[in-house]
Amino acid sequence: MTSPPAPAIPAPPAEPPPLWFLTPEGFFALPLAERPEDRAERADAFVRELYSRGDETTWGPAAPYYAALAELLADTGVSYAALGLFSTAGEELTPDDEVAGHEPSEGAAQCAFTLAAIPTDHEENETDTVTQGIVAALSKDPYNDVRWLDLPCGPAVACVTWRQHRINPEVTTDGEPADIVTAQIQVHVPFPTGPFTAVFTLLTAYVDHWPQFCEMLEAILQTVSFIDPGENQPNEQPAVPA
């Protein structure tokens, strides 16, 4: 007598489901794309927006660099990447009303912002369980400041890390070694459908403006949704699908 066949175990999805979020003005999305020709086209538009007061002598050399950077990021699993450039000429770190205002000569602070989806071993409606596991794993590093977050889209984990780096004299303006401090915050948001976790990362060396960058990221996280906002709120500004 033969045994009945074991039930088939469905394979996990190869690609994470979509999610949506909004970024403030001042974030310039890098030209991520699968095809080289698409990256080149997007890189050309990217540098013209980023260096809005430049010309072909600036745009020409810069476009291939950002196209190569986009290819490198895509190979690491990043699905969205942006350069944040904000004027510090005023009292507060807020995006300018015009793109042309994002000029370093007027005083600017920068950050790098990325989104990646990593596989995690959880099923539908197990977000609390996987969030607890992330807290436990990240808390093992004593240099991590780990906190549980309750976002509109579900539970999440924020991890803040400060690092000091030694810069070689070959790349400094005065030819002397220098130390630079960077601050990074990563927010892990489990997909409610499983088995992926979205990881938002904001990194900056402009630590004097760290509180403002944290407030900016907090505002972004309040808009994260695993359901297309346009389905229920047709009058809302469309979010960025990732």
Side-chain angles (χ1 to χ4, degrees), residues 149-230:
L149 301 178
D150 288 311
L151 302 178
C153 64
V157 181
C159 179
V160 176
T161 309
W162 290 64
R163 292 283 186 265
Q164 180 171 307
H165 310 271
R166 172 56 61 96
I167 306 300
N168 293 328
E170 292 81 4
V171 296
T172 59
T173 56
D174 57 3
E176 297 292 333
D179 292 329
I180 183 173
V181 176
T182 61
Q184 173 184 282
I185 180 169
Q186 279 192 333
V187 179
H188 302 249
V189 188
F191 279 76
T193 57
F196 293 93
T197 294
V199 181
F200 295 87
T201 303
L202 189 149
L203 174 68
T204 184
Y206 293 80
V207 294
D208 290 343
H209 304 287
W210 181 242
Q212 291 92 333
F213 279 121
C214 290
E215 292 174 1
M216 198 174 300
L217 179 58
E218 181 181 3
I220 294 173
L221 294 173
Q222 294 297 315
T223 69
V224 174
S225 175
F226 296 100
I227 302 174
D228 186 352

Side-chain angles (χ1 to χ4, degrees), residues 33-55:
E34 293 185 0
R35 300 192 307 170
E37 55 269 27
D38 293 336
R39 285 195 300 270
E41 181 179 354
R42 295 183 184 182
D44 183 68
F46 172 82
V47 297
R48 290 172 183 272
E49 181 183 14
L50 180 63
Y51 305 109
S52 57
R53 296 182 182 178
D55 53 29

Side-chain angles (χ1 to χ4, degrees), residues 2-224:
T2 59
S3 302
I9 300 176
E15 297 293 335
L19 64 84
W20 291 261
F21 60 95
L22 292 169
T23 56
E25 186 179 357
F27 276 83
F28 299 86
L30 288 168
L32 300 183
E34 293 185 0
R35 300 192 307 170
E37 55 269 27
D38 293 336
R39 285 195 300 270
E41 181 179 354
R42 295 183 184 182
D44 183 68
F46 172 82
V47 297
R48 290 172 183 272
E49 181 183 14
L50 180 63
Y51 305 109
S52 57
R53 296 182 182 178
D55 53 29
E56 292 296 340
T57 60
T58 302
W59 302 328
Y65 167 79
Y66 285 108
L69 178 60
E71 181 180 9
L72 178 64
L73 289 172
D75 290 341
T76 64
V78 170
S79 58
Y80 176 84
L83 172 66
L85 184 61
F86 306 97
S87 172
T88 59
E91 295 180 356
E92 297 182 356
L93 177 64
T94 56
D96 289 332
D97 293 334
E98 298 180 1
V99 174
H102 300 288
E103 292 294 335
S105 60
E106 300 176 2
Q110 300 178 35
C111 71
F113 179 67
T114 61
L115 167 63
I118 60 173
T120 46
D121 187 16
H122 73 281
E123 298 179 357
E124 187 175 0
N125 298 324
E126 291 185 346
T127 52
D128 282 354
T129 301
V130 70
T131 302
Q132 293 171 359
I134 295 172
V135 169
L138 295 177
S139 298
K140 294 179 180 179
D141 188 336
Y143 295 101
N144 288 342
D145 179 7
V146 182
R147 303 182 184 185
W148 179 293
L149 301 178
D150 288 311
L151 302 178
C153 64
V157 181
C159 179
V160 176
T161 309
W162 290 64
R163 292 283 186 265
Q164 180 171 307
H165 310 271
R166 172 56 61 96
I167 306 300
N168 293 328
E170 292 81 4
V171 296
T172 59
T173 56
D174 57 3
E176 297 292 333
D179 292 329
I180 183 173
V181 176
T182 61
Q184 173 184 282
I185 180 169
Q186 279 192 333
V187 179
H188 302 249
V189 188
F191 279 76
T193 57
F196 293 93
T197 294
V199 181
F200 295 87
T201 303
L202 189 149
L203 174 68
T204 184
Y206 293 80
V207 294
D208 290 343
H209 304 287
W210 181 242
Q212 291 92 333
F213 279 121
C214 290
E215 292 174 1
M216 198 174 300
L217 179 58
E218 181 181 3
I220 294 173
L221 294 173
Q222 294 297 315
T223 69
V224 174

